[in-house]
Amino acid sequence: MPDVLRLPSQGVYPPDRELRLTITVHLRVDGAAPDGKALLRQVVEQISAIGTPGRPGHLGPARSDIPDGPDAVHIYPDARTVTRGGVPVELCRREFGLLLFLAEHPGRVFTRTQLLDAVWNQPFTGPRTIDVHIRRLRHKLGTQPPLITTVHGVGYRLAADASVAVVRAGHDENGGASVSVAARRPAPGSAPSRAA
């Protein structure tokens, strides 16, 4: 039976919201290394330090610049994952690339040709491919409120009232963990966009 190590709750997350963290650790032990359980406990101690203020790797309090709520879309380019309202959304490679590109250029309208050049980078793909992938994105991410809007006769853009964050993980100058966020929240009182 494997050891179960529980990390203390910091009371940061609402009780109605489950926080799940999966960590895979590959250990390679040679003759001079400590036993596997001791090494695993050291790894858990390092991970526990992430939530401890004043320790290297501390991520700080909950980020207020990351949109939250049932309609918030979080894009994690390093892991190539997307969530909407905290629920993972399965996207194919092109759908993910298209959503990430639009999220990195909020408010800007792109023609089908511009999107093909930026995301596909293939000369033999037809412009209607974009329409198909936009339709699939809308289906997978939901249409209320709309995330991607059509500008008739021109192309597509991220909706003006879309609540989207591109979250990139990295390291700060002290070797600790850091998070870079490019967030877009709807402006107060903004009229809802309509997906066409």
Side-chain angles (χ1 to χ4, degrees), residues 87-160:
V87 178
V89 179
E90 294 291 325
L91 300 179
C92 74
R93 179 172 57 111
R94 300 291 190 199
E95 292 165 348
F96 181 86
L98 184 58
L99 179 61
L100 179 62
F101 183 78
L102 290 171
E104 288 176 333
H105 303 90
R108 187 162 166 212
V109 179
F110 292 96
T111 66
R112 290 177 183 90
T113 305
Q114 289 172 319
L115 291 170
L116 279 172
D117 290 344
V119 179
W120 271 255
N121 201 17
Q122 294 177 353
F124 302 111
T125 305
R128 292 299 175 187
T129 300
I130 297 295
D131 299 338
V132 171
H133 282 79
I134 293 288
R135 184 174 64 243
R136 289 180 184 167
L137 274 172
R138 287 175 174 161
H139 176 75
K140 291 179 179 182
L141 292 167
T143 58
Q144 296 302 321
L147 188 61
I148 300 170
T149 58
T150 302
V151 178
H152 292 284
V154 182
Y156 299 100
R157 71 171 164 219
L158 195 66

Side-chain angles (χ1 to χ4, degrees), residues 25-100:
V25 178
H26 298 278
L27 299 175
R28 186 176 190 165
V29 181
D30 60 21
D35 68 301
K37 283 187 179 181
L39 196 54
L40 183 58
R41 288 191 191 282
Q42 289 175 354
V43 169
V44 169
E45 286 174 14
Q46 291 293 319
I47 293 168
S48 297
I50 291 173
T52 306
R55 301 263 318 256
H58 175 60
L59 292 177
R63 305 269 314 238
S64 62
D65 57 342
I66 299 177
D68 199 15
D71 299 323
V73 175
H74 296 168
I75 304 168
Y76 303 92
D78 300 328
R80 294 194 66 80
T81 58
V82 174
T83 62
R84 181 155 195 175
V87 178
V89 179
E90 294 291 325
L91 300 179
C92 74
R93 179 172 57 111
R94 300 291 190 199
E95 292 165 348
F96 181 86
L98 184 58
L99 179 61
L100 179 62

Side-chain angles (χ1 to χ4, degrees), residues 6-7 11 23 28 32 122 128 135 142 160 170 179 184 186 196:
R6 300 198 186 278
L7 299 176
I23 300 173
R28 186 176 190 165
Q122 294 177 353
R128 292 299 175 187
R135 184 174 64 243
V179 177
R184 177 173 172 83

Side-chain angles (χ1 to χ4, degrees), residues 50 56-60 63 66 78 167-181:
I50 291 173
H58 175 60
L59 292 177
R63 305 269 314 238
I66 299 177
D78 300 328
V167 183
R168 298 182 194 281
H171 298 282
D172 63 18
E173 61 277 357
N174 298 323
S178 67
V179 177
S180 168
V181 179

